[in-house]
């Protein structure tokens, strides 16, 4: 009996032990299944994030739902937060054998240099060169001592383009002048196409290994380039060239302050001393001011070796009648009223010091009392680090101009055109491209009493129905690149999917001024 009991107990014990082991096996199997599911989910989400990041780098934001977004483009209120994307995923570096090094010295103001940087990245990619971080202009009229990384986020610039071109911060020491290495310095030919760089510059890079482009303004053609090169120019402009965190933060603060007071216009009032001296435009100036501008033009022509500034005799009235002068503050006031803007319009002046200061702004302030500048909206301490750095101050105006509800430039310089291109990219936000030649004629007719205010206003509106930044094709003029539409003002290759933009750029897309 006792033996039987012991046998039963032992059997029960073995059964319980077997059950325990089976339970452990089942639990271990469930843990394995759970672990596999978790790992699979993480892998799938990682792949998805990578695909989205790559798609964002390669395609504009307009590829989806563009038509519906354009229908309300003129009334879009750009949120500052929209301009702050999440940190980019680091793409794998492109593996290629470099044909040498490209060193570039940019010339001009902020936006001329910005466009040049986009062009030089594209040239480096075309020729399989290693690009040195561009040098910025420190010797021109603006005398801004800023380096590249004082204005732009250099780390982001290098990392975001690593799948296209190798960019380094400085030339290797073995190519230094101290070691007797001779670098080829030259300005590339203006408005050149890819054939010029492949046939003329690439052999030079094989011979010299280091090429230094000492002028970079408008050195790449507007048209006739392969679409992949055009889209690379866009990628650099819209995604790789970000301002430093300090500039971005202060720019967002400016936009936030403006938006808290309602919709606002950014007015690029290019009535500044350097522009007036450069253009020879003196309409509305006193005799003393006209003489001062002439002296400045001659001084700058010789001091900075700008041959176009050496032009001794400029007939201001002729240039104005041809639409080659920036509108004066007084003329701008009349134009804005004729376009239908009322005195309650909030206007941000996106420019430096207006020539003639408060005296020349008096008529504009009377018509539009809600005129502000960054110096009025920010504490002096906020701007202290940017003082005497014209390009950094221009970067703040750039951020505000891109974010504004309406952008109105009074002269089609580099900032006006680059901002226009950004606003097209962001959904064809309203940019009023003033027809200065037509406007000057209308202004003179109104001011001499030939036409009434109502006739003047109607004529101004009709003249600008199709000049609101809506979709349009770039105007191409063979052998006249200076007169045709600028690539960075209307980068049409980057605003639609594929190579056909017929639906986007059709004639039915128009905006009527009301």
């Amino acid at each position: 009996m006792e033996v039987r009991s012991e046998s039963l107990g032992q059997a029960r014990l073995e059964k319980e032990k077997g059950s325990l082991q089976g339970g452990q096996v089942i639990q271990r199997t469930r843990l394995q299944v759970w672990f596999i599911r978790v790992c699979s989910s993480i892998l799938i989400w990682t792949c998805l994030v990578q695909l989205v990041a790559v798609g964002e780098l390669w395609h504009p934001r307009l590829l989806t739902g563009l038509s519906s977004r354009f229908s309300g483009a003129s009334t879009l209120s750009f949120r500052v937060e929209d301009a702050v994307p999440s940190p980019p995923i680091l793409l794998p570096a492109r593996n290629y054998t470099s044909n040498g090094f490209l060193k570039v010295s940019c010339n001009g103001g902020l936006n001329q240099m910005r466009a040049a940087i986009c062009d030089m990245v594209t040239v480096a990619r075309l020729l399989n060169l290693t690009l040195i971080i561009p040098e910025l202009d420190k010797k021109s009229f603006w005398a801004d001592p800023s380096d590249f990384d004082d204005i732009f986020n250099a780390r982001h610039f290098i990392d975001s383009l690593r799948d296209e071109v190798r960019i380094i911060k400085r030339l290797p020491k073995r190519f230094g002048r101290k070691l007797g290495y001779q670098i080829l310095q030259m300005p590339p030919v203006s408005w050149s196409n890819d054939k010029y760089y492949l046939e003329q510059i690439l052999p030079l890079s094989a011979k010299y290994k280091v090429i230094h482009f000492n002028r970079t303004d408008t050195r790449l053609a507007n048209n006739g380039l392969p679409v992949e090169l055009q889209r690379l120019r866009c990628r650099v402009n819209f995604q790789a060239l970000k301002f430093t965190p300090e500039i971005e933060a202060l720019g967002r603060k400016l936009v936030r302050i403006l938006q808290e007071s309602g919709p606002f216009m950014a007015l690029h009032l290019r009535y500044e001393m350097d522009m007036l001296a450069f253009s020879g435009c003196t309409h509305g100036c006193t005799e003393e001011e006209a003489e001062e501008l002439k002296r400045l033009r001659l001084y700058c022509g010789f001091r900075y070796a700008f041959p176009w500034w050496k032009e001794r005799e400029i007939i201001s009235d002729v240039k104005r009648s041809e639409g080659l002068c920036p509108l004066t503050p007084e003329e701008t006031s009349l134009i804005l009223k004729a376009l239908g803007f009322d005195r309650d319009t909030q206007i941000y002046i996106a420019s430096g010091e207006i020539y003639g200061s408060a005296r020349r702004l008096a008529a504009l302030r009377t018509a539009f009392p809600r005129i502000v500048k960054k110096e009025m909206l920010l504490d002096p301490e906020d701007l202290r680090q940017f003082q005497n750095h014209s390009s950094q101050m221009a970067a703040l105006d750039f951020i505000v101009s891109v974010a504004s509800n309406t952008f109105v430039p009074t002269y089609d310089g580099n900032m006006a055109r680059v901002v226009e291109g950004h606003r097209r990219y962001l959904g064809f936000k309203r940019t009023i491209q003033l027809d200065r030649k037509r406007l000057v004629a209308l202004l003179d007719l109104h001011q001499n009493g030939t036409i009434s205010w109502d006739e003047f206003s109607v004529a101004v509106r009709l003249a600008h129905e199709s000049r609101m930044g809506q979709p349009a094709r770039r105007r191409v003029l063979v052998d006249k690149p200076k007169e045709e539409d600028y690539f960075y003002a209307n980068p049409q290759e980057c605003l639609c999917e594929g190579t056909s933009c017929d639906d986007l750029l059709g004639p039915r897309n128009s905006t009527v001024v009301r």
Side-chain angles (χ1 to χ4, degrees):
M1 189 74 173
E2 291 178 357
V3 172
R4 185 180 179 186
S5 297
E6 288 178 4
S7 299
L8 289 171
Q10 188 174 0
R12 189 181 299 113
L13 186 62
E14 290 178 354
K15 183 177 181 181
E16 290 176 355
K17 183 177 179 181
S19 299
L20 180 62
Q21 289 175 343
Q24 290 175 341
V25 170
I26 293 171
Q27 185 177 7
R28 190 161 51 248
T29 302
R30 288 177 177 172
L31 285 172
Q32 289 174 343
V33 171
W34 178 83
F35 181 75
I36 291 171
R37 287 177 176 174
V38 170
C39 290
S40 298
S41 299
I42 292 173
L43 182 61
I44 291 171
W45 277 106
T46 301
C47 292
L48 182 61
V49 170
Q50 289 276 6
L51 287 171
V52 170
V54 171
E56 179 66 20
L57 281 172
W58 277 101
H59 298 289
R61 290 175 233 179
L62 302 180
L63 298 184
T64 306
L66 182 59
S67 298
S68 60
R69 290 167 63 181
F70 172 67
S71 62
S74 61
T75 57
L76 281 175
S77 178
F78 179 73
R79 290 173 55 82
V80 177
E81 292 78 10
D82 295 339
V84 190
S86 57
I89 304 294
L90 197 62
L91 296 173
R94 175 170 168 256
N95 185 18
Y96 68 98
T97 301
S98 176
N99 290 322
F101 297 89
L102 178 60
K103 182 179 178 181
V104 298
S105 295
C106 301
N107 56 289
L110 173 66
N111 292 286
Q112 180 172 301
M113 292 192 291
R114 183 188 189 101
I117 292 167
C118 300
D119 289 347
M120 294 301 105
V121 169
T122 304
V123 169
R125 173 63 177 84
L126 174 66
L127 303 182
N128 282 336
L129 298 174
T130 297
L131 179 68
I132 314 300
I133 284 280
E135 297 176 351
L136 303 188
D137 193 339
K138 298 182 177 67
K139 298 179 181 179
S140 67
F141 174 86
W142 297 273
D144 187 334
S146 300
D147 291 318
F148 184 95
D149 55 6
D150 292 323
I151 299 175
F152 300 109
N153 186 329
R155 185 74 264 160
H156 174 79
F157 178 70
I158 294 171
D159 289 345
S160 65
L161 293 169
R162 68 198 302 263
D163 63 317
E164 287 288 353
V165 63
R166 191 176 303 131
I167 304 174
I168 58 178
K169 290 191 174 181
R170 57 188 61 87
L171 191 67
K173 291 183 179 179
R174 67 181 183 273
F175 296 108
R177 290 182 179 177
K178 291 182 179 180
L179 299 179
Y181 197 87
Q182 294 297 317
I183 297 175
L184 174 63
Q185 295 195 45
M186 61 172 292
V189 176
S190 297
W191 310 110
S192 295
N193 58 20
D194 53 328
K195 183 179 178 181
Y196 162 80
Y197 285 99
L198 289 169
E199 296 181 358
Q200 302 293 325
I201 304 300
L202 186 57
L204 293 175
S205 69
K207 180 179 179 180
Y208 292 94
K209 292 302 179 185
V210 181
I211 297 179
H212 179 195
F213 287 163
N214 50 21
R215 292 192 70 84
T216 57
D217 54 311
T218 60
R219 304 294 153 158
L220 199 57
N222 291 315
N223 303 288
L225 297 177
V227 68
E228 59 269 18
L229 293 183
Q230 298 287 55
R231 288 183 173 171
L232 179 56
R233 296 168 91 178
C234 291
R235 181 177 167 188
V236 181
N237 191 20
F238 300 134
Q239 295 160 10
L241 280 177
K242 294 186 180 299
F243 295 120
T244 63
E246 295 79 11
I247 292 175
E248 291 278 358
L250 193 57
R252 291 196 298 270
K253 181 178 180 179
L254 265 172
V255 175
R256 185 171 61 251
I257 292 171
L258 286 160
Q259 289 178 338
E260 287 172 353
S261 298
F264 69 96
M265 172 199 300
L267 177 63
H268 185 43
L269 190 60
R270 194 67 171 96
Y271 200 76
E272 299 160 283
M273 177 180 282
D274 65 300
M275 173 51 63
L276 298 178
F278 160 71
S279 63
C281 298
T282 58
H283 182 73
C285 295
T286 64
E287 290 185 8
E288 292 77 9
E289 289 172 335
E291 188 59 33
E292 179 185 40
L293 293 171
K294 183 177 181 179
R295 287 196 303 269
L296 178 63
R297 180 172 69 256
L298 296 177
Y299 168 76
C300 290
F302 289 104
R303 170 67 177 82
Y304 301 112
F306 296 162
W308 52 92
W309 283 50
K310 295 179 185 177
E311 190 177 353
R312 293 181 179 276
E313 294 300 328
I314 296 178
I315 304 176
S316 176
D317 290 342
V318 173
K319 293 200 72 170
R320 176 176 175 269
S321 66
E322 294 174 348
L324 301 177
C325 289
L327 294 174
T328 69
E330 296 85 357
E331 291 172 335
T332 302
S333 172
L334 292 172
I335 297 303
L336 293 181
K337 286 195 294 183
L339 286 170
F341 294 99
D342 59 36
R343 61 184 288 104
D344 195 44
T345 303
Q346 182 182 201
I347 299 179
Y348 174 87
I349 302 292
S351 62
E353 182 66 27
I354 302 302
Y355 190 62
S357 302
R359 177 179 64 83
R360 297 307 304 272
L361 282 175
L364 190 60
R365 285 193 181 281
T366 299
F368 300 98
R370 297 181 64 197
I371 285 181
V372 294
K373 298 187 69 174
K374 51 186 170 291
E375 293 82 1
M376 299 168 60
L377 300 175
L378 298 172
D379 293 330
E381 192 61 33
D382 289 333
L383 289 171
R384 188 179 304 278
Q385 62 178 314
F386 303 112
Q387 295 292 345
N388 301 318
H389 295 81
S390 60
S391 291
Q392 296 182 43
M393 295 288 269
L396 296 174
D397 287 338
F398 182 93
I399 292 172
V400 175
S401 297
V402 170
S404 64
N405 298 84
T406 303
F407 176 60
V408 182
T410 61
Y411 187 79
D412 57 351
N414 289 293
M415 176 171 170
R417 293 183 290 182
V418 174
V419 168
E420 178 188 344
H422 270 69
R423 292 174 65 82
R424 287 179 183 274
Y425 182 79
L426 290 173
F428 299 96
K429 301 176 69 178
R430 186 161 70 162
T431 300
I432 303 180
Q433 305 147 304
L434 298 178
D435 184 349
R436 293 188 307 282
K437 185 173 182 179
R438 176 66 176 148
L439 288 175
V440 165
L442 290 172
L443 283 163
D444 289 346
L445 288 173
H446 170 61
Q447 291 175 335
N448 65 22
T450 303
I451 59 175
S452 67
W453 171 258
D454 288 342
E455 292 171 320
F456 171 74
S457 181
V458 169
V460 168
R461 294 190 185 201
L462 287 175
H464 293 85
E465 281 187 347
S466 60
R467 301 177 68 90
M468 294 286 155
Q470 59 265 49
R473 292 190 182 279
R474 275 199 313 276
R475 187 170 54 108
V476 180
L477 298 177
V478 179
D479 297 329
K480 293 183 178 180
K482 290 183 179 181
E483 299 177 28
E484 67 184 5
D485 290 343
Y486 190 45
F487 171 80
Y488 291 102
N490 184 11
Q492 63 189 38
E493 296 87 343
C494 311
L495 306 180
C496 52
E497 194 169 7
T499 57
S500 176
C501 301
D502 292 339
D503 291 341
L504 176 64
L505 305 177
R508 68 180 180 278
N509 290 319
S510 62
T511 301
V512 178
V513 187
R514 301 189 185 280

Coordinates of all heavy atoms in Angstrom, one line a residue, residues 266-272 348-352 397 401 407-411 413-416:
A266 N 4.6 92.3 -46.5 CA 6.0 92.6 -46.5 C 6.3 93.4 -47.7 O 6.1 93.0 -48.9 CB 6.8 91.3 -46.5
L267 N 6.7 94.7 -47.5 CA 7.0 95.6 -48.5 C 8.5 95.7 -48.7 O 9.2 96.3 -47.8 CB 6.4 97.0 -48.2 CG 6.7 98.1 -49.2 CD1 6.1 97.8 -50.6 CD2 6.1 99.4 -48.7
H268 N 9.1 95.2 -49.8 CA 10.5 95.4 -50.0 C 10.8 96.7 -50.7 O 10.8 96.8 -51.9 CB 11.0 94.2 -50.8 CG 12.5 94.2 -51.0 ND1 13.4 94.4 -50.0 CD2 13.3 94.0 -52.1 CE1 14.6 94.4 -50.5 NE2 14.6 94.1 -51.8
L269 N 10.9 97.7 -49.9 CA 11.0 99.1 -50.3 C 12.5 99.4 -50.6 O 13.3 99.8 -49.8 CB 10.5 100.1 -49.3 CG 10.3 101.5 -49.7 CD1 9.4 101.6 -50.9 CD2 9.8 102.3 -48.5
R270 N 12.9 99.1 -51.8 CA 14.4 99.1 -52.2 C 14.8 100.5 -52.5 O 15.5 100.8 -53.5 CB 14.6 98.2 -53.4 CG 16.1 97.9 -53.6 CD 16.7 97.0 -52.5 NE 18.0 96.6 -52.9 CZ 19.2 97.2 -52.6 NH1 19.1 98.3 -51.9 NH2 20.3 96.7 -53.0
Y271 N 14.4 101.5 -51.6 CA 14.8 102.9 -51.8 C 15.9 103.2 -50.8 O 15.8 103.9 -49.9 CB 13.6 103.8 -51.6 CG 13.7 105.2 -52.2 CD1 13.6 105.3 -53.6 CD2 14.1 106.3 -51.5 CE1 13.7 106.6 -54.2 CE2 14.2 107.5 -52.0 CZ 14.0 107.7 -53.4 OH 14.2 108.9 -54.0
E272 N 17.1 102.5 -51.1 CA 18.2 102.6 -50.2 C 19.4 103.2 -51.0 O 19.4 103.3 -52.2 CB 18.6 101.2 -49.7 CG 17.5 100.5 -48.9 CD 17.7 99.0 -48.8 OE1 17.4 98.3 -49.8 OE2 18.1 98.5 -47.8
Y348 N 5.0 95.6 -43.1 CA 6.4 95.4 -42.6 C 7.4 95.8 -43.7 O 7.4 95.3 -44.8 CB 6.6 93.9 -42.2 CG 8.1 93.6 -41.8 CD1 8.5 93.8 -40.5 CD2 9.0 93.2 -42.8 CE1 9.8 93.5 -40.1 CE2 10.3 92.9 -42.4 CZ 10.7 93.1 -41.1 OH 12.0 92.8 -40.7
I349 N 8.2 96.8 -43.4 CA 9.2 97.3 -44.3 C 10.4 96.4 -44.3 O 11.2 96.3 -43.3 CB 9.7 98.7 -44.0 CG1 8.5 99.7 -44.0 CG2 10.7 99.2 -45.0 CD1 7.9 99.9 -45.3
A350 N 10.6 95.6 -45.3 CA 11.7 94.6 -45.4 C 12.8 95.2 -46.2 O 13.0 94.9 -47.4 CB 11.2 93.3 -46.1
S351 N 13.6 96.0 -45.6 CA 14.7 96.7 -46.2 C 15.6 97.3 -45.2 O 15.2 97.4 -44.0 CB 14.3 97.7 -47.3 OG 13.5 98.7 -46.6
G352 N 16.7 97.9 -45.6 CA 17.6 98.6 -44.7 C 17.1 100.0 -44.5 O 15.9 100.3 -44.7
D397 N 14.8 89.8 -42.7 CA 13.8 90.3 -43.7 C 13.3 89.2 -44.6 O 12.2 89.2 -45.0 CB 14.4 91.5 -44.4 CG 14.5 92.7 -43.6 OD1 13.7 92.8 -42.6 OD2 15.3 93.6 -43.9
S401 N 9.5 88.0 -45.1 CA 9.0 88.2 -46.5 C 8.4 86.9 -47.0 O 7.3 86.9 -47.6 CB 10.0 88.7 -47.4 OG 10.5 90.0 -47.0
F407 N 3.5 89.8 -50.5 CA 4.8 90.3 -50.7 C 4.8 91.3 -51.9 O 4.4 90.9 -52.9 CB 5.8 89.2 -50.9 CG 7.2 89.7 -51.1 CD1 7.9 90.4 -50.2 CD2 7.9 89.3 -52.3 CE1 9.2 90.8 -50.4 CE2 9.2 89.8 -52.6 CZ 9.9 90.5 -51.6
V408 N 5.3 92.5 -51.6 CA 5.4 93.5 -52.7 C 6.8 94.1 -52.7 O 7.2 94.9 -51.9 CB 4.4 94.7 -52.4 CG1 4.4 95.7 -53.6 CG2 2.9 94.1 -52.2
P409 N 7.5 93.8 -53.8 CA 8.8 94.4 -54.0 C 8.7 95.6 -54.9 O 8.0 95.5 -55.9 CB 9.7 93.3 -54.6 CG 8.7 92.4 -55.4 CD 7.3 92.6 -54.7
T410 N 9.4 96.7 -54.6 CA 9.3 97.9 -55.5 C 10.4 97.9 -56.5 O 10.6 98.8 -57.3 CB 9.4 99.2 -54.6 OG1 10.7 99.2 -53.9 CG2 8.3 99.2 -53.6
Y411 N 11.3 96.8 -56.5 CA 12.4 96.7 -57.5 C 12.7 95.2 -57.6 O 12.7 94.5 -56.6 CB 13.6 97.5 -57.0 CG 14.7 97.6 -58.1 CD1 14.6 98.4 -59.2 CD2 15.8 96.7 -58.0 CE1 15.6 98.5 -60.1 CE2 16.8 96.8 -59.0 CZ 16.7 97.7 -60.0 OH 17.7 97.7 -61.0
G413 N 15.1 93.2 -57.7 CA 16.5 92.8 -57.4 C 16.6 91.3 -57.0 O 15.6 90.6 -57.1
N414 N 17.7 91.0 -56.4 CA 17.9 89.5 -56.1 C 17.0 89.1 -55.0 O 16.5 88.0 -55.0 CB 19.4 89.3 -55.7 CG 20.3 89.4 -56.8 OD1 20.3 88.6 -57.7 ND2 21.2 90.5 -56.9
M415 N 16.8 89.9 -53.9 CA 15.9 89.5 -52.9 C 14.5 89.3 -53.3 O 13.8 88.3 -53.0 CB 16.0 90.5 -51.7 CG 15.0 90.1 -50.6 SD 15.1 91.1 -49.1 CE 13.6 90.5 -48.2
A416 N 14.0 90.3 -54.1 CA 12.7 90.2 -54.6 C 12.5 88.9 -55.4 O 11.4 88.2 -55.2 CB 12.4 91.4 -55.5

